[in-house]
Structures are given as C-alpha cells and as structure tokens.
C-alpha cells in the first residue's frame, strides 16, 4: 500500500535591524511556532487516520478474496465429485494454496486487532477442517466413484465447514466494515481539524506578515504555499478515501466499477481518463472499457475511438506499458509530438484534443496486470507533476485491487454456473429414458454381470425394458444373474475378463429375460468405476425394433433373392440347348423349354398336357414306368437311351430325371433333362473303329518288328562272324589297311545290332500294356546310378537325390525312362572335371515336375526340337557314342503316362530334362514327399 510521506516544515526569517521589530517578530514567531506545531500534528494525525482507513480497506479486500477462494475450493471439489475430471483437483489445490496465503496475510494485517486475531485462530481451524473434508471427498470420488462421493456429501451437515468458514469471513468483514466507517469518520474529523488549524495558522501568519517587517513577506508566502499543499493533500486524502469506499461498493459489477474508476481518476487528477481491461488470454486490451471527460462531446468521441479496435499487448505506448508493468509520466510535451508517439489510429483524435501531458498506469493486482488507466491533460500551464503521478498511482492501486476482486467474483459465479450445469447434465442423463443404466458389483468369482453381489443402482429406462420394479432388483428378490439366458453367459464372461484387464468391456449383443418371460435383445457396453470397489456401470440399448427391422430386411432380401433365382433359372432353362421338361408323377408334361422344341420338334403347345410316352419309340415302353417309380422315391436317374422326334427320327439322348419337392419336402413332380448325344455316339463309334484299327496295326507292327529283327539279325551275325574269323585266322595275310577295313566291318555290325535293339525296345515300350503302381523314383535313381558306377568304377560322379519322390507309373517303363535319362547324364558328363548329377521335383502349373540335371556338355537350345526324334543326334559318335533312340523312347514312355517332357541346356553348361507324369484312370497324381 502506498504511504504518502509526511511534509517537512520550516521557515526562513529575515529580521530588521530595529530591536522593537525583532522583538515583535520573535513573539509572533513563537506564536506561529505554537500554531505550526499544533497544525502539523493535526495534519499528521489526518495522514495517519487516512493510512488506517487504507489499512482497513486492504483487510476488507483480502477477506473478500479469501471468501471467493473458499467458494472456489468448494465448487472445485463438488465439480470433481460429479465429473471426476482431474483439472478440478488442480483448481481445488490452487484455491487451497490461495486460502493459506490469504489467512497468513490477514493474520499479519490484523496484528493490531485482538478480536480479529481470535477470529483468525478459529478461521485457521475451520479452514483445516474444510480442507480435510474436501480431501476426503476427492479420495472418495477416486476410490468409490460418484456414489461414494455423493454418500459422503449427503452425510455431511447441512451447514458444513465451508459454510462456517464463509460465516467467519463474513463476520470479520462486518467487523472491518464497522472499523472502516469509524476510521473514515475519524479521518474526516482529523482532516477537518487539520484544515481548521491550517486556517488559523494562515490567519496568524497573515497577522505576523501585516505587522511584521516587510522582509518577512517571503516567509509568509512560503507558509502560504505550505498551507495550500496541506490543503491539497487533505482534499486528495478525502477523495482517495471516498474513492476506495466507492470501489469496494461496486466490486460485484465490473462494468460499473470501470466507469467509477474512470470518473474518480478524472475528477481527482483530471482532465480525461480511459480504462481498458486486459483480455483473459493476456494478449489484448479490450476495445470496450470506460472513459471520462467533462466535455460530453469529447467523451462521446473518446468512446467511439476506443470501440474501433483492440490494442495488442506489447505494441504502442499502451501495449508496452501493460507488457512491462511500468507506469509512465509525460510531464510536458507539444500536442503534435505527443500524438506522434501514439498508435497511428489514435493520432487524429489526440491532435484534436491537444494533449500536452499524460500518465499511463498499468493496473496491477497480485502481480498481474488486469487493465490500463490513461490520464491526459490539455493544459500546458498546469502539466502533471510527480505529486499528481504519485497520487494517481495510489488511486490506481485501489482500483486494480477492486478490478481483480471483481474478476474473482465473476470467476466464482462462472464456477457456480458450471457446477449447476454439470449437475443438470447428470440428472438429464439419468432421467432421459433413452438408454438403460445399471451399476452392479462384480464380486470375486463372477462370470455374469451381477452374479457376485448385488445391483447397486438401475434407472427407470432399464426397469421399463425388463418389466421389474426397482425394489425387486435392488432388494435381490430377482437375481440379476437369472436375467441372462444360459447361452449368453460366455459373452458376459468375456466382458468380465476385458473389464478386469483394461477396465472397459467391448460393445456386445446379448439378451435379457423379461418379467413376462420374453427375450429382450440389447446392445450393452460396460466400464469399471474408479476406486478399489469392483463395481462397473453398464449402458443398455434396446435392440427390439432394430432386430425386427433386420428380420424384415432379411425376409425382403430372401424373397428378392428367390425371385431373382427363379428369374435366372427361367432364363437358363429358356437359353439351354438341352431339353428341360417338367412332368407329373404320372408322366404328364407340365413344362417344355425351347431346347425341347429344338431337339424333339414339338412346340410347347403341342407337348404340354400330353404324356411323356409321346417321345418313347416302340420297344422302350418299359423304361418310363421304371423311371417314374425310382424318381418318385426320391432317386435321381441318369442313363443314355433313344427317343423319337416329331418327324419320326430316333435320337440318341442322355437323360437325367430328378425329383422336385414341395415346401414340405414331399416329391411333387419330376424334372427331366435330355441332351442330344447323337454326335457323341457317332464319335464313340468312330473311335472304337479307330481303336480296333490301331490294335490291328500294332499287332501287324509287332509281327513285322520281330520278323525284321529275325531277318536282319541272321545275315548280320553271319557278316560279323566271318569278319571276326578273317581277322583272327588270317590277320597276317592282310596288310594294315585290310585289317582296318575288317575292324570297320565289325564296328558297323555292332552299331547295326544296337540300332535293331533300339527299334525293338521302342516298339516294345509303345505297345506294352500299362500297369500303374506306386513307384519310389528316388530309389530307382539310386539303383540305376549304382549300376553305372559299377560299369565305370574309375569315374567319380557326385549324385544329389531328393528323398521319397514317388509316382503312380508302370514300374518297368519308369525304370527304362530313368535308365535312358541317367545314362545320357552319365555319358555327357564324362568330360567334366567334376561330374554332378541331380534328381528332384518341384511344382509347375499345379502338378509335380521331376527333373534330372547335369553339368555335362549341354546343348544348343536352337536344336532342342530334335532331341526326342529317333536317330537324331546333336553330337557325333566320336564325341559321345549312342544310337539316337534313347530320348525317343523316354518321350514315348512319358506320353503313354499322359505326361510331358522338355529339356533346357547351355553348350558346355550342362542340361536339365523335365518330365511330368499325369494321373491315369487307374492311378493317382504324382506325389512329392
């Protein structure tokens, strides 16, 4: 609080040389001193009285702040009890901290008042009780939820500790108000006394000047100035006292308070005053505010300028003053220079006013700037001085405190409003009837909501859904667990598990058993309540109307699907090339599609209503009764037969007769599908003839092969034998060239024998009968390679074989296939430094593809098409011996098994032979491990 410094007194005297004059002056000086002492004491007492008035006002303001904080704390813990929001606890703690600070400050301020000190002791004790109660409410809400908090609040006395605190504060405020009025009266009396003594002192001084020496005029004028200053101080102190009282009276109306502050500052300091509040976010000075000027026209213009825009904090003279919190005095300046210092939007108006002096005062309350007061004067002869500046700051301090209290009161009102709205929302949710709400105890071993203990609370909406009264549910006469059908217990069990783990149960559909025995479909979700108790709240939504709507939609969809299906079936029947005929169990035709018209020549009008015997040729009359008998018993008949067209021609047809059942499942009619298989029968006959011709040709080829083999082998053996005799017995008779010719004869005879053997082998594999069986190809590969190793023991060949690769094939042909492929791999790796042969399988196009891979001579893929042709070779006999029959044999064997063979190779980079063995009618698909 600003304290005005007491003025110091003294006077210079000049005495004449005359003794009488000096004596008279001394006497008058003594008298003047006595009056001065008395007047000084009166002024000092007036100043002290004013200080006590300010002190009492400050105590009253702090009490008002304490009351607001107490109410804010009450609102905070009540809000937390209702909503459970943690920011309410933060506000509670902040309010309690403010209460503690205010109580401590009040104890210091009222140290001179023993009655108030006793009340402070009671106040501390009551505040502690209130704090403990609010802490217990917070703990109850956290641990037991709203019900625990509500129970604690309900059990509390109607006039709780908070009410007692407010009552004590109010009692102290009433005492301070009485003391404020008494001290104000005393201050006014002291001020008047000081003014009286000042007047008397002036009279004495004037008398002394009148009768004193001429040179004492200067001293007299000095005393007059002192008197004027004291009078000014007294007037301002009286004005400050009245202003503080008026500020206190308008604390609860912020708009009116700003007007009062502007008017008081304008009256006491002059000439013009504007007040702007700082926005809640601390970023702007509000455009709305208060203004004062003695000239109504200039006052209206001032308000118009203020309303145009907000002032950002930190910008311009006003914004910087708020940002720094430092007041500013412009004692004397030219109007144009002053206007140039201001924001551009205000310059024309300030130039119009002709401002020559100004004071800018940030309004500080508890360390925060709550607004800005601007004082301006348009009198160059009487600018603002330091006394004006100090006095204005004192008034501004009182105004800032009042504005801060007004904001606190507004915040208290807002908190109370928010609390009322929160209570109203909770009440509307509970009483809305839109959704069912039940709070139940899970217990320790519950698998169904409500099984472990009892239902704590249930609202009317859920009771209306189930048909039970609240007393039946809460008393336990109707066990909540019995309302859940057995088939839904597992759904509740999963929800309980989710609640135990995460505190929230997923939305789930289930059913409840109503009082009338009906089933109620619902959508429910659950969440654990805060606290140690195993309680949860469940929200229940009636799905009856939704289920009915879904059932109706499904029925419509089903009917539409049936209609579409019937339309599709009708379209299929009409578009089918087959004859689709409907007939009764007696064989009377009931439906006839265009396909039947095309096949049999009868139109629908000609056929419908007639007996099916219309289509049966002579000699087959017994077929239809047997068909009708079998189909009527529910069997499906499929057979190939002959039927007669309208033109008398007989047709080969494939007939399928199926029973048609009614809604009860009884066979009510017969559906008959007839397909014209004339072309198929003809093709089968042609195929049979071709097969007979092929078998005959094979027999002739077999006989020819044996004949050729026998006829060729006899002269070949003779030529080979005679050449051998000549070479053995008559070697010496022949020169070297003759011996070479004999060797060439023997070599070609051997080649000719190999060719004959190859031809016989190829014919044998082509005509032999297939006998499929499960063959382990991996084992056959290992056996063939062992034989090859035994034939050439000096060779080292690495063999890689994938285990347990098997297929359904003829075992003899499979061995011949692998012997030829492995023999080729063995032969063509003979020149490789490190020979390697690999056998394996993989998936290709959904079936097993076997392969034999080597790192031998390889081949040019350009000539791959010649690989499997008889007698076609890609290497000379000098490079690699052979007849050119082996791969042709391999291809015949693979083709006989319905497979496919192909090869991949790179010259000097090895080759890979792939083959598949498709399923035979009597066998199975090739299999891998």
């Amino acid at each position: 609080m600003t304290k005005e410094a007491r003025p110091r007194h003294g006077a210079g005297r000049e005495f004449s040389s005359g003794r009488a004059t000096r004596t008279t002056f001394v006497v008058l000086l003594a008298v003047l001193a006595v009056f001065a002492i008395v007047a000084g004491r009166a002024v000092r007492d007036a100043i002290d009285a004013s200080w006590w008035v300010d002190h009492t006002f400050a105590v009253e303001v702090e009490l008002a702040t304490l009351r607001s904080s107490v109410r804010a704390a009450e609102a905070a813990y009540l809000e937390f009890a209702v909503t459970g929001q943690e920011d309410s606890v933060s506000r509670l703690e902040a309010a309690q901290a403010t209460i503690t600070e205010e109580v401590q400050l009040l104890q210091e301020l009222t140290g001179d008042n023993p009655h108030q000190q006793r009340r402070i002791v009671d106040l501390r004790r009551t505040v502690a009780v209130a704090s403990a109660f609010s802490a217990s409410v917070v703990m109850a809400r956290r641990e037991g939820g709203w019900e625990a908090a509500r129970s604690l609040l309900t059990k509390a006395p109607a006039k709780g500790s908070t009410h007692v605190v407010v009552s004590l504060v109010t009692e102290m405020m009433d005492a301070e108000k009485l003391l404020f009025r008494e001290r104000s009266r005393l201050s006014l009396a002291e001020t008047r006394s000081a003014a009286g003594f000042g007047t008397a002192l002036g009279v004495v001084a004037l008398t002394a000047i009148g009768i004193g020496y001429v040179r004492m005029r200067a001293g007299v004028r000095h005393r007059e100035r002192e008197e004027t200053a004291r009078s000014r101080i007294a007037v301002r102190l009286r004005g400050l006292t009245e202003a503080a009282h008026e500020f206190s009276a308008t604390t609860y109306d912020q708009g009116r308070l700003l007007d009062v502050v502007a008017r008081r500052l304008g009256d006491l300091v002059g000439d013009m005053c504007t007040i702007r509040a700082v926005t809640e976010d601390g970023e702007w000075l509000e455009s709305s505010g208060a203004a004062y000027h003695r000239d109504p026209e200039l006052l209206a213009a001032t308000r118009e300028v203020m309303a145009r825009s907000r002032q950002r904090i930190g910008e311009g003279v006003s914004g910087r003053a708020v940002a720094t919190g430092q007041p500013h005095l412009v004692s004397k300046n030219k109007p144009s220079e002053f206007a140039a210092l201001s924001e551009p939007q205000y310059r024309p108006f300030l130039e119009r006013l002709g401002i020559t002096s100004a004071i800018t005062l940030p309004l500080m309350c508890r360390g925060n700037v709550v607004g800005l007061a601007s004082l301006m004067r348009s009198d160059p002869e009487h600018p603002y001085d330091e006394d004006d500046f100090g006095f204005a700051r004192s008034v501004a301090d009182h105004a800032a405190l009042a504005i801060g209290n007004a904001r606190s009161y507004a915040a208290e009102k807002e908190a109370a409003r928010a609390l009322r709205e929160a209570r109203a929302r909770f009440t509307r949710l509970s009483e809305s009837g839109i959704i069912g709400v039940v709070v139940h105890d899970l217990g320790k071993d519950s698998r169904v909501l409500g099984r472990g203990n009892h239902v704590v609370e249930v609202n009317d909406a859920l009771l209306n859904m189930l048909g039970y009264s609240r007393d039946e549910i809460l008393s336990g006469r109707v066990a909540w667990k019995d309302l859940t059908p057995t088939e839904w217990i597992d759904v509740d069990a999963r929800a309980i598990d989710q609640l135990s783990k995460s505190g929230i149960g997923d939305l789930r559909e289930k059913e409840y058993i109503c009082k009338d025995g009906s089933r109620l479909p619902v959508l429910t979700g659950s969440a654990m309540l805060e606290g140690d108790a195993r309680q949860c709240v469940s929200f229940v939504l009636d799905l009856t109307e939704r289920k009915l709507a879904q059932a109706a939609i499904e029925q419509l969809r089903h009917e539409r699907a049936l209609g579409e299906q019937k339309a599709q079936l009708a379209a299929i029947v009409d578009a089918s090339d087959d004859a689709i005929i409907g007939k009764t169990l007696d064989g009377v035709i009931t439906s006839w599609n265009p396909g039947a018209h095309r096949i049999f020549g009868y139109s629908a009008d000609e056929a419908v209503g007639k007996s099916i015997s219309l289509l049966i040729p002579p000699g087959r009359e017994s077929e239809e009764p047997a068909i009708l008998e079998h189909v009527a018993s529910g069997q499906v008949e499929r057979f190939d037969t002959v039927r007669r067209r309208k033109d008398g021609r007989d047709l080969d047809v494939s007939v399928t007769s199926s029973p048609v059942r009614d809604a009860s499942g009884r066979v009510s009619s017969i559906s008959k599908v007839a397909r014209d298989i004339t072309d198929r029968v003809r093709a089968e006959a042609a195929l049979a003839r071709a097969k007979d011709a092929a078998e005959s040709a094979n027999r002739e080829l077999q006989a020819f092969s044996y004949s050729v083999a026998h006829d060729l082998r006899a002269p070949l053996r003779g030529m080979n034998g005679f050449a051998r005799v000549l070479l053995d017995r008559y070697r010496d008779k022949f020169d070297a060239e003759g011996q070479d010719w004999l060797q060439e004869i023997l070599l070609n005879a051997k080649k000719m024998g190999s060719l004959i053997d190859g031809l016989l082998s190829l014919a044998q594999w082509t005509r032999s009968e297939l006998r499929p069986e499960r063959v382990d190809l991996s084992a056959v590969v290992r056996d063939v390679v062992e034989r090859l190793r035994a034939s050439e023991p000096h060779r080292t060949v690495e063999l890689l074989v994938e285990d347990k690769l098997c297929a359904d094939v003829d075992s003899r042909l499979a061995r011949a296939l692998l012997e030829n492929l492995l023999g080729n791999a063995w032969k063509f790796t003979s020149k490789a430094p490190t020979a390697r042969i690999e056998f394996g399988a993989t998936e290709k196009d959904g079936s097993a593809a076997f392969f034999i891979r080597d790192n031998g001579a390889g081949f040019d893929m350009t000539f791959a098409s010649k690989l499997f042709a008889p007698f076609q070779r890609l290497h000379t006999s000098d490079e690699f011996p052979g007849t050119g029959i082996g791969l042709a044999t391999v291809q015949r064997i693979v083709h006989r098994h319905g497979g496919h063979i192909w090869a991949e190779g790179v010259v000097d980079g090895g080759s890979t032979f792939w083959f598949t063995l498709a399923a035979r009618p009597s066998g199975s698909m090739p299999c891998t491990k």
Side-chain angles (χ1 to χ4, degrees):
M1 181 176 293
T2 303
K3 295 184 178 180
E4 298 288 345
R6 296 182 177 87
R8 291 172 292 182
H9 306 282
R13 303 289 196 275
E14 294 184 2
F15 297 95
S16 64
S17 56
R19 185 180 180 85
T21 303
R22 287 195 299 270
T23 301
T24 302
F25 185 79
V26 169
V27 172
L28 293 175
L29 183 60
V31 175
L32 185 60
V34 171
F35 274 90
I37 291 171
V38 173
R41 288 182 176 177
V43 171
R44 184 182 59 196
D45 292 340
I47 293 175
D48 290 340
S50 175
W51 185 88
W52 282 110
V53 169
D54 292 344
H55 177 272
T56 305
F57 179 77
V59 172
E60 186 177 354
V61 169
E62 294 300 331
L63 286 169
T65 303
L66 175 60
R67 183 170 62 185
S68 298
S69 299
V70 169
R71 288 174 176 168
E74 181 184 24
Y77 78 71
L78 288 176
E79 181 179 356
F80 179 77
V82 173
T83 65
Q85 297 180 355
E86 289 296 331
D87 57 349
S88 302
V89 178
S90 301
R91 292 198 299 276
L92 171 62
E93 295 172 350
Q96 289 177 342
T98 302
I99 291 171
T100 303
E101 294 175 0
E102 294 293 338
V103 171
Q104 181 63 33
L105 182 58
L106 284 171
Q107 185 171 11
E108 296 174 359
L109 290 175
T110 59
D112 61 299
N113 191 333
H115 297 290
Q116 295 289 56
Q117 287 291 301
R118 287 194 295 273
R119 293 188 183 101
I120 289 293
V121 173
D122 295 338
L123 183 61
R124 283 185 180 277
R125 183 174 60 256
T126 308
V127 166
V129 172
S131 298
F133 179 72
S134 63
S136 64
V137 171
V138 171
M139 182 177 298
R141 180 62 174 84
R142 286 174 171 166
E143 297 177 353
W146 159 244
E147 291 300 329
R150 185 180 68 176
S151 175
L152 185 59
L153 290 171
T154 304
K155 294 178 182 177
K159 296 183 179 181
S161 54
T162 301
H163 177 78
V164 176
V165 172
V166 173
S167 298
L168 281 173
V169 172
T170 304
E171 181 180 351
M172 293 179 70
M173 290 180 68
D174 293 338
E176 288 297 326
K177 287 179 180 178
L178 292 174
L179 187 60
F180 180 84
R181 287 196 292 270
E182 180 63 24
R183 287 177 174 174
S184 297
R185 183 188 60 76
L186 179 61
S187 174
L188 184 61
E190 291 293 342
T191 302
R192 290 175 179 172
S193 175
F197 278 106
T199 303
L201 183 61
V203 172
V204 173
L206 289 174
T207 303
I209 292 173
I211 64 176
Y213 196 65
V214 176
R215 293 187 178 180
M216 295 178 63
R217 293 178 182 177
V220 173
R221 286 195 297 271
H222 179 70
R223 286 192 294 274
E224 286 179 348
R225 287 194 295 272
E226 287 185 348
E227 179 185 0
T228 301
R230 292 190 186 98
S231 178
R232 183 182 180 187
I233 292 173
V235 171
R236 286 190 168 179
L237 286 175
R238 185 170 57 254
L240 180 61
T241 301
E242 293 173 355
H245 182 72
E246 192 169 6
F247 294 165
S248 177
T250 57
T251 298
Y252 302 110
D253 187 349
Q254 185 172 355
R256 183 184 170 200
L257 174 62
L258 295 180
D259 289 333
V260 170
V261 172
R263 177 171 55 79
R264 279 292 181 179
L265 279 172
D267 280 340
L268 294 174
V269 183
D271 296 338
M272 173 182 171
C273 179
T274 62
I275 304 293
R276 284 187 173 185
V278 176
T279 58
E280 293 293 336
D281 59 10
E283 295 292 331
W284 300 86
L285 285 171
E286 290 285 5
S287 58
S288 61
Y292 173 79
H293 200 286
R294 293 184 179 87
D295 187 338
E297 182 179 351
L298 291 178
L299 176 60
T302 301
R303 288 173 175 169
E304 181 182 353
V305 171
M306 290 176 62
R308 288 178 186 173
S309 62
R310 297 192 299 177
Q311 175 69 47
R312 183 179 291 277
I313 304 299
E315 297 179 357
V317 176
S318 301
R320 287 192 294 272
V322 174
T324 60
Q326 297 298 320
H328 185 62
L329 168 65
V330 178
S331 179
K332 193 173 183 180
N333 209 341
K334 293 181 181 180
S336 59
E337 294 177 353
F338 181 81
L341 294 174
S342 302
E343 293 77 6
Q345 63 267 30
Y346 302 138
R347 289 173 186 172
F349 176 69
L350 293 176
E351 290 176 354
R352 174 186 173 188
L353 291 178
I355 302 300
T356 59
S357 184
I359 296 175
T360 304
L361 298 171
L363 303 178
M364 304 286 294
C365 179
R366 300 182 184 91
N368 296 318
V369 179
V370 296
L372 180 74
S374 298
L375 293 165
M376 288 166 279
R377 184 176 289 177
S378 302
D379 186 357
E381 299 299 327
H382 298 88
Y384 291 130
D385 56 17
E386 291 294 337
D387 289 341
D388 295 326
F389 188 51
F391 180 69
R393 292 180 65 179
S394 298
V395 178
D397 288 343
H398 286 81
L401 187 60
I403 292 173
N405 289 337
R407 287 195 168 185
S408 298
Y409 175 70
E412 179 182 345
K413 288 179 62 178
E414 179 63 23
R417 184 191 63 78
L419 179 59
R420 289 194 300 272
E421 290 181 355
R423 289 174 175 172
R425 284 195 297 269
F426 180 80
T427 302
R428 286 196 298 271
L429 175 63
S430 179
E431 299 176 355
S432 64
I434 298 175
I435 192 169
V437 181
V438 59
V439 179
H440 36 205
D441 192 331
L442 298 182
K444 296 182 178 179
D445 300 315
S446 176
R447 293 182 67 247
V448 178
L449 295 180
R451 180 186 291 273
N453 199 325
H454 63 282
V455 174
V456 177
E457 186 56 78
V458 60
N459 72 338
D460 292 337
L462 185 54
L463 292 173
N464 292 335
M465 293 180 197
L466 299 175
Y468 290 101
S469 67
R470 177 174 277 98
D471 182 63
E472 287 177 311
I473 298 297
L474 298 184
S475 66
R477 294 201 305 272
V478 175
W480 188 262
K481 65 182 181 62
D482 295 338
L483 302 184
T484 297
T486 305
E487 64 268 24
W488 293 103
I489 291 179
D490 290 340
V491 174
D492 276 352
R494 288 193 295 271
I496 294 296
D497 184 59
Q498 292 173 343
L499 287 170
S500 301
K501 293 178 179 177
S502 63
I504 298 176
D506 291 340
L507 289 176
R508 59 199 182 276
E509 290 190 15
K510 60 172 290 184
E511 291 181 341
Y512 283 119
I513 301 175
C514 298
K515 189 173 184 178
D516 59 6
S518 62
R519 295 283 187 103
L520 176 69
V522 297
L523 176 68
T524 181
S526 306
M528 295 296 294
L529 295 175
E530 296 180 358
D532 294 335
R534 283 179 54 80
Q535 292 184 350
C536 76
V537 59
S538 297
F539 299 93
V540 182
L541 182 64
D542 187 353
L543 297 181
T544 301
E545 294 183 0
R546 174 182 161 188
K547 291 292 185 181
L548 292 175
Q550 287 179 343
I553 291 172
E554 289 299 325
Q555 179 64 26
L556 288 174
R557 288 177 177 171
H558 180 66
E559 293 176 356
R560 181 178 297 175
L562 287 177
E564 293 176 352
Q565 185 178 11
K566 289 179 179 179
Q568 291 174 356
L569 289 175
I572 291 172
V573 169
D574 290 341
S576 176
D577 290 335
D578 295 337
I580 302 177
I581 304 169
K583 58 184 179 180
T584 65
L585 297 178
D586 297 328
V588 177
I589 299 172
T590 57
S591 63
W592 187 270
N593 76 329
H597 185 186
R598 181 184 60 80
I599 292 176
F600 295 112
Y602 294 99
S603 66
D605 293 337
E606 294 174 322
V608 173
K610 304 291 180 59
S611 174
I612 196 67
S613 60
L614 178 70
L615 306 177
I616 300 176
R620 294 183 178 270
E621 293 85 356
S622 61
E623 291 181 355
E624 191 63 23
I627 293 173
L628 293 176
E629 181 181 356
H630 283 86
V631 176
S633 65
Q635 301 180 31
V636 177
E637 285 290 319
R638 296 182 179 88
F639 59 95
D640 293 344
T641 185
V642 177
R643 289 294 181 260
R644 178 158 292 179
R645 284 174 49 86
K646 180 181 179 181
D647 59 11
R649 287 189 301 112
D650 289 342
L651 295 175
D652 291 300
V653 293
S654 176
V655 178
T656 300
S657 295
S658 306
V660 178
R661 301 179 185 273
D662 58 17
S664 63
R666 184 173 55 86
V667 177
S668 59
S669 60
I670 297 173
S671 171
K672 177 178 180 179
V673 179
R675 175 171 295 177
D676 185 354
I677 60 172
T678 301
D679 293 339
R680 191 189 81 185
V681 171
R682 292 173 181 171
E684 288 176 350
L687 183 61
R689 290 193 297 270
K691 182 179 180 182
D692 292 340
E695 290 177 351
S696 176
N698 280 334
R699 287 192 295 271
E700 293 176 0
L701 178 61
Q702 180 179 6
F704 174 75
S705 296
Y706 278 104
S707 174
V708 169
H710 182 272
D711 293 343
L712 289 177
R713 282 182 183 275
L716 186 61
R717 282 196 298 269
M719 182 176 61
N720 186 58
F722 285 120
R724 173 62 60 186
V725 170
L726 287 173
L727 191 59
D728 291 342
R729 294 184 180 180
Y730 303 99
R731 179 183 297 272
D732 297 338
K733 303 293 184 179
F734 295 97
D735 56 12
E737 185 178 5
Q739 292 180 16
D740 289 340
W741 289 348
L742 289 174
Q743 290 288 353
E744 190 68 25
I745 292 172
L746 291 174
L747 180 60
N748 282 282
K750 183 177 180 181
K751 288 181 179 180
M752 190 65 180
S754 298
L755 288 173
I756 292 172
D757 291 338
L759 285 172
L760 290 175
S761 175
L762 182 60
Q764 177 185 1
W765 302 138
T766 302
R767 67 175 181 269
S768 62
E769 182 183 356
L770 286 180
R771 293 175 181 167
E773 59 180 308
R774 181 56 57 90
V775 177
D776 187 345
L777 300 181
S778 299
V780 174
V781 168
R782 288 191 177 92
D783 182 63
V784 171
V785 172
E786 287 302 318
R787 292 174 181 271
L788 291 171
R789 281 176 173 163
S791 66
E792 296 184 63
H794 61 281
R795 289 192 58 187
T796 301
V797 178
E798 179 184 4
L799 177 65
L800 302 175
V801 180
E802 189 172 348
D803 291 333
K804 295 184 179 179
L805 295 180
C806 54
D808 289 337
V809 293
D810 188 296
S811 60
R812 297 176 300 106
L813 297 181
R815 176 171 288 276
L817 182 150
L818 293 174
E819 284 178 346
N820 277 284
L821 290 177
L822 291 170
N824 271 358
W826 186 272
K827 176 173 58 177
F828 287 108
T829 57
S830 61
K831 297 180 180 180
T834 303
R836 184 179 68 255
I837 299 174
E838 180 182 357
F839 173 70
T842 186
E843 288 287 333
K844 282 187 179 292
D845 299 327
S847 60
F850 302 93
F851 64 87
I852 292 179
R853 181 179 293 122
D854 64 68
N855 64 342
F859 60 89
D860 187 347
M861 287 294 292
T862 306
F863 306 104
S865 60
K866 298 181 178 181
L867 284 174
F868 302 102
F871 309 113
Q872 296 290 330
R873 293 176 51 82
L874 301 184
H875 301 84
T876 65
S877 298
D878 295 336
E879 293 178 301
F880 300 100
T883 62
I885 299 297
L887 291 180
T889 302
V890 167
Q891 186 183 55
R892 297 286 179 87
I893 294 173
V894 170
H895 286 175
R896 291 204 65 190
H897 284 84
H900 176 59
I901 185 168
W902 69 98
E904 299 170 353
V906 177
V907 176
D908 296 330
S911 60
T912 302
F913 283 82
W914 297 87
F915 62 92
T916 62
L917 299 170
R920 302 297 296 171
S922 60
S924 62
M925 292 292 290
C927 60
T928 58
K929 58 183 178 180

